[in-house]
Amino acid sequence: MHYGADYNPEQWPEEIWPEDVARMREAGVTMVSLGIFSWARIQPSEHEFDFGWLDRVIGLLHDGGIAVDLATATASPPPWATVAYPEMLAADERGTSYWHGSRQHYAPSSPAYRKLAGALVTQIAERYARHPAVVLWHVNNEYGCHLDIDYSDAARDAFRRWLLARYGTVDALNEAWGTMFWSQRYGSFAEVFPPRHAPYSHNPGQLLDYRRFTSDMLLECYRMERDIIRAAGAAQPITTNFMGAFKPVNYAQWAAELDVISDDLYPDPDDPEGFREGAFHGDLMRSLKPGTPWLLMEQASSAVNWRPSNAPKAPGQLAAQSMQAVARGADGILFFQWRQSRAGSEKFHSGMLPHAGTQIRTWREVVALGRELGDLPGLPPDDGTARVAILLDWENWWAIENPDHPTSLDYLSLVRGWYDAAHRLHVQVDLVRPTADLSRYRAVVAPHLYLLTREAAANLTAFVEAGGHLLVTAFSDVVDESDRFRAGGFGTQLRDLLGIAVEDFGALVAPGSSGPGQQQARVSGGGFAFPGILLAEEVHAVGAEVLAAFDGGRQAGRPALTAHSSGAGTAYYLGTVPDDDGTGQVLRHLFGAAQVEPVLPGLPPLVEAIRRGRLLTVINHGSESVHVEVQGRDVLGGAVVQGVTLQQFGYALVLTGD
Ligand code: GAL
């Protein structure tokens, strides 16, 4: 179990470093991420490298028994680089350049950036590939962070090449984007630009491809660095830090390229439901590389600096949130950052070693957590506990959030609605892509698969026919991979499986707004009673059984929730977006039909129970003390457990099935 933090020794005089190492040992630190923002220190000018300081600090850490996750330092190019090569700066939608003075200001597709980054990584990798302290490589940092989309000239040129590789001919591109609309037809790839500032809506196919391109450019950067590290003879695993579900970067596609998945997680300590974000991150990270432990690469020991108001963590919250990750397969708990900065925009961000010193609660909690993690035995990776999958698809995310739709949908918050409801029911879920192997799941929830490929539809159909229970929700199966309608109306791929036809999407005005067009949608019947929001679709049952109907509103009397048997399984369709309670009602029905059990029965909503193989973790995030019936052996100390009483942020890690 790794324990540690980003370590930025270049921010401190060298005399402090031995004290850092001593304090790290006191805190139980086993590994630090070194050099993430050290480019300017390692390479003070283009033809000058200074590794003396890095040699010394790695040596000190190694002598102190602390391993190094060595970063490639490419996330923040120094000012000399962008002054010499201004073409490597990213640009906004109007083509206006970003400047240095912050971080992550580079254009990922810029040849100048890649050349400089490549040269830097070559130097670092060749120097440290065989250093015994280095146990992991940390490529760049949070790819895509701050700069969702780059519209620079470098991106323009790279986009044209990317389109040529994807479509081969400009005719194929015109066909895919439907450019006969609004006289958008291209005569050559050289006429295509990034979707820069325009008077009105961009072509949706272009927007979707620009998202794909953006993720691919960052992936090219990652691969370039990884390949340089490998070519230098490094045998250590290589990672780059993810940020939960992050729209610009298709992590489901990237996962195969990383040896170890790592994640950065910053739930708001003030949000009583914030722990569900930690749960969601952890379940996603575990699902990205099944059966492989992952790392919580960054979290805060207490407050961050970047919200309008930055609450400190409450007593015990740090350990409880760390155990959420361990419970979900993390084999390392690390922080941003080791020593709180004295200068710079993150000086108010907490560190493991606080600016206020070691006589404060944060430090005591950091030390206690390090001790506890250090005492943990080797834990089994998850062996496939979840019997439920929720589908999360980046390409669908990009397409469904294109403009000019019946209503604006926030895909991630809709997926989170289903995830959070399952979490409240204490059912363990994986988060997987629609083409994943679904054979070990009993129930699959497919929220709003607007963009549905033939391959994904075939996968979902096979899942149901083999006996699975599938729930598809409104505004699904609408377009193909180019964001075009398919011939033959809507629902062309899943119509037979679902036994329904969708005639209209029935947009509702946003909840809370008033005025003309205000429509209410309520779902009732069959034991269901909940409001529907955003969409109340006009659905016709064509073979499906109607479980609940709309009552009131323009779809009154029409099907809202349907079920249709196909092969050995059942496919459900919900033609609206339920509120939280309604989401729970629908899931309870689905889980009942699919015989899915909670991890533990009868837990209150603010208590979670998670399985990682034989390890059962129970955490109380609520303020009321709870007693939980759980039997086994305490992982820490080996005592027999016959039920546990947990105060707020209390947890138990129990080995079951001896
Ligand atoms: C992350 C980043 C760190 C630090 C942290 C602050 O996004 O990787 O370098 O800035 O946020 O919360």
Side-chain angles (χ1 to χ4, degrees):
M1 184 64 63
H2 288 296
Y3 191 56
D6 286 16
Y7 180 35
N8 299 307
E10 67 275 16
Q11 294 178 16
W12 298 93
E14 201 160 333
E15 305 81 76
I16 300 260
W17 301 350
E19 185 199 321
D20 278 331
V21 174
R23 289 289 187 196
M24 285 176 192
R25 291 171 62 87
E26 194 182 330
V29 166
T30 63
M31 178 172 80
V32 292
S33 304
L34 190 63
I36 294 178
F37 292 104
S38 305
W39 192 340
R41 182 72 181 85
I42 294 173
Q43 193 180 6
S45 64
E46 186 167 357
H47 302 291
E48 184 192 354
F49 286 89
D50 177 2
F51 283 110
W53 70 278
L54 196 53
D55 291 351
R56 292 194 294 281
V57 80
I58 295 181
L60 266 178
L61 289 162
H62 189 52
D63 293 347
I66 292 163
V68 171
D69 162 33
L70 189 58
T72 58
T74 53
S76 191
W80 62 255
T82 45
V83 167
Y85 303 97
E87 70 273 25
M88 70 188 258
L89 289 164
D92 69 10
E93 220 189 348
R94 288 176 185 263
T96 307
S97 176
Y98 291 99
W99 298 100
H100 62 247
S102 177
R103 65 174 177 186
Q104 262 128 334
H105 45 286
Y106 62 89
S109 44
S110 154
Y113 167 73
R114 290 188 185 186
K115 188 160 169 269
L116 290 177
L120 173 68
V121 179
T122 304
Q123 293 278 337
I124 297 175
E126 285 179 352
R127 191 169 188 98
Y128 299 109
R130 289 176 188 80
H131 197 295
V134 177
V135 297
L136 179 67
W137 290 89
H138 187 295
V139 171
N140 197 276
N141 193 63
E142 294 188 337
Y143 273 113
C145 189
H146 311 306
L147 209 130
D148 265 30
I149 300 192
D150 169 35
Y151 299 89
S152 65
D153 287 352
R156 176 200 60 199
D157 296 346
F159 187 43
R160 292 172 183 165
R161 281 194 298 277
W162 184 91
L163 291 170
L164 175 67
R166 184 176 173 88
Y167 293 107
T169 66
V170 77
D171 287 348
L173 172 119
N174 281 314
E175 175 62 26
W177 290 2
T179 54
M180 275 306 155
F181 182 78
W182 284 351
S183 186
Q184 291 170 351
R185 184 186 164 277
Y186 293 101
S188 72
F189 286 104
E191 293 173 3
V192 184
F193 283 77
R196 288 183 181 156
H197 190 63
Y200 187 42
S201 287
H202 280 286
N203 180 297
Q206 181 184 6
L207 291 175
L208 175 58
D209 273 344
Y210 209 69
R211 284 285 184 184
R212 290 184 173 117
F213 159 78
T214 296
S215 180
D216 282 359
M217 286 305 100
L218 293 166
L219 184 57
E220 279 186 8
C221 290
Y222 171 80
R223 283 188 183 135
M224 175 190 82
E225 295 199 16
R226 179 202 59 193
D227 294 350
I228 291 171
I229 294 167
R230 282 279 172 260
Q236 303 91 340
I238 301 176
T239 191
T240 184
N241 41 346
F242 289 170
M243 294 168 275
F246 177 64
K247 184 175 174 183
V249 179
N250 187 342
Y251 291 157
Q253 182 202 356
W254 280 48
E257 311 266 352
L258 278 64
D259 298 320
V260 181
I261 301 290
S262 51
D263 184 46
D264 296 352
L265 170 70
Y266 294 96
D268 187 346
D270 242 0
D271 177 358
E273 289 279 309
F275 72 98
R276 296 199 204 281
E277 186 180 340
F280 177 77
H281 272 233
D283 284 334
L284 175 60
M285 295 305 135
R286 183 195 58 234
S287 306
L288 286 173
K289 242 187 204 315
T292 314
W294 53 279
L295 297 171
L296 180 58
M297 185 62 89
E298 287 184 23
Q299 64 169 344
S301 63
S302 188
V304 300
N305 62 294
W306 40 261
R307 291 195 174 92
S309 162
N310 298 296
K313 284 188 172 159
Q317 201 171 11
L318 170 62
Q321 293 189 342
S322 303
M323 292 307 170
Q324 287 192 283
V326 172
R328 290 180 166 80
D331 268 4
I333 300 294
L334 296 94
F335 295 78
F336 175 83
Q337 63 176 328
W338 161 249
R339 190 188 273 270
Q340 186 172 355
S341 295
R342 280 184 62 190
S345 32
E346 290 180 327
K347 62 184 179 295
F348 284 104
H349 196 294
S350 57
M352 287 178 94
L353 182 55
H355 183 65
T358 53
Q359 300 305 314
I360 67 168
R361 173 170 61 83
T362 300
W363 174 253
R364 287 192 292 274
E365 290 194 23
V366 160
V367 172
L369 178 60
R371 193 162 305 138
E372 202 161 307
L373 293 172
D375 287 345
L376 285 178
L379 297 173
D382 180 62
D383 53 3
T385 304
R387 291 288 162 267
V388 175
I390 297 179
L391 305 186
L392 174 67
D393 183 55
W394 264 261
E395 300 221 336
N396 178 58
W397 190 350
W398 299 330
I400 203 172
E401 294 188 358
N402 267 343
D404 309 309
H405 284 181
T407 191
S408 301
L409 298 177
D410 175 341
Y411 179 61
L412 184 58
S413 76
L414 293 167
V415 171
R416 276 294 303 273
W418 291 99
Y419 176 85
D420 288 8
H423 192 239
R424 272 185 223 109
L425 294 171
H426 310 290
V427 167
Q428 191 151 331
V429 308
D430 287 344
L431 289 148
V432 304
R433 60 208 298 196
T435 48
D437 176 6
L438 302 174
S439 55
R440 67 184 163 88
Y441 303 114
R442 293 190 183 151
V444 167
V445 181
H448 314 290
L449 281 183
Y450 163 77
L451 184 161
L452 184 71
T453 62
R454 286 188 203 288
E455 194 192 357
N459 195 40
L460 298 181
T461 304
F463 166 72
V464 175
E465 278 168 1
H469 289 71
L470 170 72
L471 171 67
V472 177
T473 74
F475 209 48
S476 283
D477 190 9
V478 181
V479 297
D480 67 8
E481 45 280 308
S482 298
D483 201 357
R484 292 173 309 193
F485 292 152
R486 290 196 164 87
F490 302 114
T492 57
Q493 305 299 295
L494 296 180
R495 192 183 280 161
D496 294 344
L497 180 72
L498 296 165
I500 54 148
V502 175
E503 192 169 318
D504 192 85
F505 302 110
L508 303 169
V509 295
S513 44
S514 57
Q518 176 78 24
Q519 288 281 338
Q520 298 299 325
R522 276 203 65 79
V523 176
S524 67
F528 298 95
F530 56 85
I533 55 168
L534 297 165
L535 299 163
E537 293 185 331
E538 183 171 343
V539 174
H540 300 272
V542 187
E545 179 194 348
V546 179
L547 300 182
F550 289 110
D551 83 15
R554 59 168 104 80
Q555 313 298 7
R558 292 215 177 87
L561 178 64
T562 60
H564 187 236
S565 303
S566 190
T570 307
Y572 299 83
Y573 189 75
L574 178 63
T576 187
V577 178
D579 67 352
D580 287 350
D581 184 53
T583 308
Q585 292 177 33
V586 174
L587 283 187
R588 265 196 297 275
H589 183 89
L590 180 74
F591 294 161
Q595 295 181 310
V596 169
E597 301 290 335
V599 178
L600 286 177
L603 295 177
L606 296 178
V607 175
E608 63 173 343
I610 315 101
R611 277 198 180 278
R612 169 179 175 169
R614 286 176 53 220
L615 176 71
L616 175 64
T617 304
V618 188
I619 309 174
N620 180 13
H621 300 275
S623 53
E624 308 281 308
S625 138
V626 289
H627 184 77
V628 181
E629 283 309 329
V630 45
Q631 275 77 40
R633 260 186 319 109
D634 193 331
V635 160
L636 296 156
V640 172
V641 178
Q642 292 279 4
V644 286
T645 299
L646 303 174
Q647 309 301 326
Q648 183 173 30
F649 300 129
Y651 50 85
L653 279 75
V654 180
L655 272 182
T656 58
D658 268 349

